[in-house]
Amino acid sequence: MEQIPVYLVTGFLESGKTSFVKDILTDYGFTMGEKNLLIVCEEGIEEYEYNILSDSNTVMVTVEDEEDFTKEFLINIVKKHKPDKIILEYNGMWDLQELFNNKLPDELVIAQIITTIDSSTYNVYMSNMGAMIVNQYRQSDLVIFNRCNENTKKLALRASVKTINSQANVIFENENGEIEETAGQMPFDINSDIVEPADYDFGIFFEDLMSNPDKYEGKTVRLRLKAYNPERYPGICCVLGRDAMTCCADDISQLGLIARFKNDVILKHNDWVEITADIHKTMLEQYNQEIPVLYTKDIRKIDKLKEELVYFY
């Protein structure tokens, strides 16, 4: 059975899904003269012009109700239109996991998942429907924050995605639809003698460190972290880090770094410490790769931080 790639674009109403799909339909490198099937599960203000569909050899089918979006429906429209590829503009309020588990015929294979997010309304949606947003980009290959301006906290937005889905690519578009080249400056001085992120910036520091370890090679950092199950490790090393929450208690992740000590250090699970350490990439067999490791210069126990969690919105 010949497989048909499906490009799934999800996001809430007016998040920029249609604009993104129109852009790729006008890109010959994507359409390549093939027959495309566009399935639209949510109609917003922006519409698809006839010439865009015609020029890209695209047939559009709309589905208004989730109960009509079934495996049988997909089988029938594929049989009718015989597309080379499918672009699925999915309703952001519908359950993605249900689609993956029960609704895709065997010949349809997800080639890429793209989530579009309106950065100007992100905090409102996170406060009210955070779990839904997280489910959208948990399995995304690409997350696009659009309608960004000079007040957009791009670092925090990027970290909110990377904490949940470290493999996702994150890009930012300004209010003119142009891609921004950088996510902004670090909220701490990476060139100081001791790099000392604020406690609430640990998530941004962690994500940047893991994404750009060479930038931090040989740097001295000072961090306030807690110990994760130190009894599992010899006394000369441990995993230290912070718990990060994107939207709700169900989405807490551990951001942990391996720390090596000069001598045995006795720690208990959830002990809090202030650590001053040099960062060096180290090959660790259990990970089969080089990762940043904290080589301790000084460590002392401290009281639990008043705010234990790192937040990303």
Side-chain angles (χ1 to χ4, degrees), residues 238-301:
C238 178
V239 173
L240 303 175
R242 296 285 301 277
D243 293 338
M245 186 168 76
T246 299
C247 69
C248 58
D250 292 335
D251 288 296
I252 292 178
S253 305
Q254 291 182 346
L255 310 182
L257 297 170
I258 293 178
R260 287 191 171 179
F261 312 125
K262 296 178 181 178
N263 304 300
D264 284 356
V265 175
I266 300 175
L267 294 175
K268 297 178 182 177
H269 182 56
N270 288 338
D271 274 352
W272 284 84
V273 299
E274 181 179 274
I275 181 174
T276 304
D278 294 333
I279 297 176
H280 294 291
K281 290 191 302 182
T282 303
M283 174 61 72
L284 298 179
E285 293 182 1
Q286 59 268 47
Y287 297 100
N288 195 32
Q289 62 177 332
E290 283 189 330
I291 65 170
V293 172
L294 301 175
Y295 284 81
T296 306
K297 301 173 74 172
D298 181 67
I299 184 169
R300 64 184 183 88
K301 291 185 181 181

Side-chain angles (χ1 to χ4, degrees), residues 76-313:
N76 289 334
I77 61 169
V78 167
K79 186 180 298 183
K80 177 180 179 179
H81 297 291
K82 298 180 174 57
D84 295 305
K85 67 165 68 78
I86 294 174
I87 303 97
L88 174 56
E89 185 180 324
Y90 201 65
N91 189 315
M93 299 296 290
W94 295 359
D95 188 351
L96 264 180
Q97 202 57 50
E98 180 72 15
L99 169 67
F100 299 147
N101 292 342
N102 302 310
K103 295 185 178 181
L104 282 181
D106 292 340
E107 68 266 34
L108 302 189
V109 179
I110 299 293
Q112 189 177 31
I113 301 174
I114 302 100
T115 295
T116 59
I117 299 174
D118 181 350
S119 63
S120 67
T121 59
Y122 179 74
N123 287 346
V124 174
Y125 275 106
M126 284 300 293
S127 297
N128 294 281
M129 292 182 283
M132 284 188 176
I133 291 184
V134 170
N135 285 335
Q136 288 172 8
Y137 61 61
R138 185 187 300 278
Q139 305 198 47
S140 293
D141 303 292
L142 172 65
V143 178
I144 303 171
F145 287 97
N146 52 50
R147 301 167 187 145
C148 297
N149 57 38
E150 65 275 8
N151 297 317
T152 302
K153 298 180 179 179
K154 297 171 190 161
L155 289 170
L157 294 179
R158 186 170 187 267
S160 72
V161 174
K162 289 289 192 176
T163 301
I164 298 298
N165 181 356
S166 62
Q167 300 303 309
N169 289 318
V170 182
I171 66 174
F172 300 88
E173 293 182 350
N174 62 26
E175 294 170 310
N176 296 321
E178 300 165 337
I179 294 177
E180 306 251 316
E181 293 299 326
T182 63
Q185 299 298 315
M186 290 292 110
F188 47 84
D189 185 2
I190 193 172
N191 295 314
S192 62
D193 292 339
I194 299 179
V195 181
E196 194 167 1
D199 294 328
Y200 52 78
D201 284 331
F202 178 75
I204 294 172
F205 163 79
F206 178 87
E207 195 281 320
D208 194 52
L209 169 63
M210 302 308 288
S211 299
N212 307 286
D214 289 340
K215 186 166 75 173
Y216 290 87
E217 178 64 26
K219 297 285 185 180
T220 301
V221 296
R222 181 172 294 135
L223 305 164
R224 297 199 291 178
L225 309 171
K226 73 173 181 177
Y228 292 119
N229 301 301
E231 66 277 1
R232 297 180 183 176
Y233 303 89
I236 59 170
C237 69
C238 178
V239 173
L240 303 175
R242 296 285 301 277
D243 293 338
M245 186 168 76
T246 299
C247 69
C248 58
D250 292 335
D251 288 296
I252 292 178
S253 305
Q254 291 182 346
L255 310 182
L257 297 170
I258 293 178
R260 287 191 171 179
F261 312 125
K262 296 178 181 178
N263 304 300
D264 284 356
V265 175
I266 300 175
L267 294 175
K268 297 178 182 177
H269 182 56
N270 288 338
D271 274 352
W272 284 84
V273 299
E274 181 179 274
I275 181 174
T276 304
D278 294 333
I279 297 176
H280 294 291
K281 290 191 302 182
T282 303
M283 174 61 72
L284 298 179
E285 293 182 1
Q286 59 268 47
Y287 297 100
N288 195 32
Q289 62 177 332
E290 283 189 330
I291 65 170
V293 172
L294 301 175
Y295 284 81
T296 306
K297 301 173 74 172
D298 181 67
I299 184 169
R300 64 184 183 88
K301 291 185 181 181
I302 60 173
D303 293 334
K304 179 175 66 176
L305 296 187
K306 183 177 180 180
E307 184 55 77
E308 294 186 61
L309 295 174
V310 177
Y311 296 88
F312 284 117
Y313 69 94

